[in-house]
Amino acid sequence: MKDDSLASLAGKHFILATDLDGTFLGGSDEDRRALYDWIEENRHSIGLIFVTGRDPQFIRGLCDGGVPWPQFVIGDVGTTIAEVTADKNIEPIADLEHEIASLWNDSGEKVRAALDGHPGLTLQPTDFRYRVSYDLDPGAFDRAAIDTVDEMGLDHLISDNRYFDVLPRGVSKGPSLKRFVSYMGVSPQRVLAAGDTLNDLSMIECGLPAVVVGGAEQALIDRVSTLPNVHTADAVGAAGILEAVRAFDLHETP
């Protein structure tokens, strides 16, 4: 049973939908503590969603170590959409994952076989449910892998010039976040999307108020800097999130 006091976003004045590495986890210890304390002190009015390439196991360890627990997780680069229960389990939302599973169509083995030994790609050991992920060596990478993925009816995503993800067609952070916001009946203008690398591109450009935090990948900044819904922060990581909350006047800040 979910903890309605945590899981419901309907009554929240402001909702932060944030990437983790380099964004929510970025910046100085002091900046992170300021952001985390502000969220904990305002749980009645602030909702928190992690939108990340990380998997639920990583998130559990992170939050058990002192990072604020989110109410929901859009993980695995948008291929997991889950709620955090009262006993701190991260449970997929079946209504939202059914389409993702259908689009993936158990393609993991097919992808691994097609890209086995491909130049510049090293398979990551985690067995994700609806994606296959590789470490990328840009100097050795052969872009024929992109054609191979496209021919399978799937999407590829290169981020930070060192990761290569194979995803269900049309599924990534942005589309999953927009579907989630619609499903929850939340006003999009109360949601701030925050990120720092190209795997955040789809959520930064999906039309929600958004921030590219200081220290972000230059390729991401170049792609979104002219969009009217995007604030390009000077402050790094966690401090950049608070900078954007002020810039958009989404909530009172410290």
Side-chain angles (χ1 to χ4, degrees):
M1 179 182 297
K2 74 174 130 177
D3 181 348
D4 291 332
S5 66
L6 286 179
S8 175
L9 296 177
K12 304 297 184 184
H13 177 72
F14 163 64
I15 298 161
L16 174 61
T18 181
D19 173 58
L20 290 176
D21 299 274
T23 308
F24 197 70
L25 302 179
S28 68
D29 290 345
E30 182 180 4
D31 289 339
R32 290 194 299 272
R33 181 48 50 201
L35 176 63
Y36 301 169
D37 287 349
W38 173 69
I39 289 170
E40 295 293 14
E41 291 164 5
N42 291 277
R43 284 287 191 174
H44 62 286
S45 59
I46 296 176
L48 182 60
I49 308 166
F50 287 167
V51 189
T52 176
R54 296 290 193 169
D55 60 276
Q57 182 177 353
F58 175 88
I59 292 168
R60 288 188 195 96
L62 187 70
C63 296
D64 285 342
V67 171
W69 276 92
Q71 293 158 260
F72 294 92
V73 171
I74 298 172
D76 298 321
V77 200
T79 61
T80 289
I81 307 178
E83 65 178 357
V84 178
T85 65
D87 53 359
K88 305 306 185 199
N89 285 322
I90 299 174
E91 296 186 355
I93 300 172
D95 288 349
L96 290 174
E97 287 204 352
H98 175 76
E99 182 179 352
I100 294 170
S102 177
L103 288 167
W104 184 241
N105 194 28
D106 291 325
S107 294
E109 282 302 320
K110 180 173 69 172
V111 170
R112 286 186 283 271
L115 296 180
D116 183 42
H118 193 88
L121 294 181
T122 302
L123 182 67
Q124 294 181 4
T126 305
D127 187 17
F128 301 107
R129 294 179 303 148
Y130 308 129
R131 76 188 248 219
V132 178
S133 296
Y134 298 84
D135 293 322
L136 183 147
D137 177 353
F141 179 61
D142 181 348
R143 295 185 68 84
I146 296 172
D147 295 331
T148 298
V149 171
D150 189 60
E151 289 166 3
M152 287 189 285
L154 302 169
D155 283 346
H156 81 283
L157 177 64
I158 296 174
S159 59
D160 208 19
N161 210 29
R162 58 191 181 125
Y163 301 116
F164 185 93
D165 290 299
V166 182
L167 305 167
R169 178 63 54 85
V171 176
S172 60
K173 288 183 175 184
S176 290
L177 177 59
K178 288 204 75 173
R179 286 181 61 225
F180 174 81
V181 167
S182 176
Y183 177 82
M184 294 299 294
V186 171
S187 169
Q189 294 309 306
R190 292 194 286 122
V191 182
L192 177 68
D196 75 306
T197 71
L198 275 179
N199 83 2
D200 302 315
L201 175 64
S202 64
M203 73 167 174
I204 297 297
E205 65 179 6
C206 75
L208 300 172
V211 57
V212 176
V213 298
E217 186 179 356
Q218 187 61 45
L220 176 64
I221 296 172
D222 293 343
R223 291 284 294 271
V224 304
S225 60
T226 61
L227 297 179
N229 64 299
V230 177
H231 176 78
T232 303
D234 293 319
V236 174
I241 293 173
L242 283 173
E243 179 185 320
V245 174
R246 296 186 198 102
F248 287 118
D249 194 23
L250 291 167
H251 196 286
E252 293 182 358
T253 58

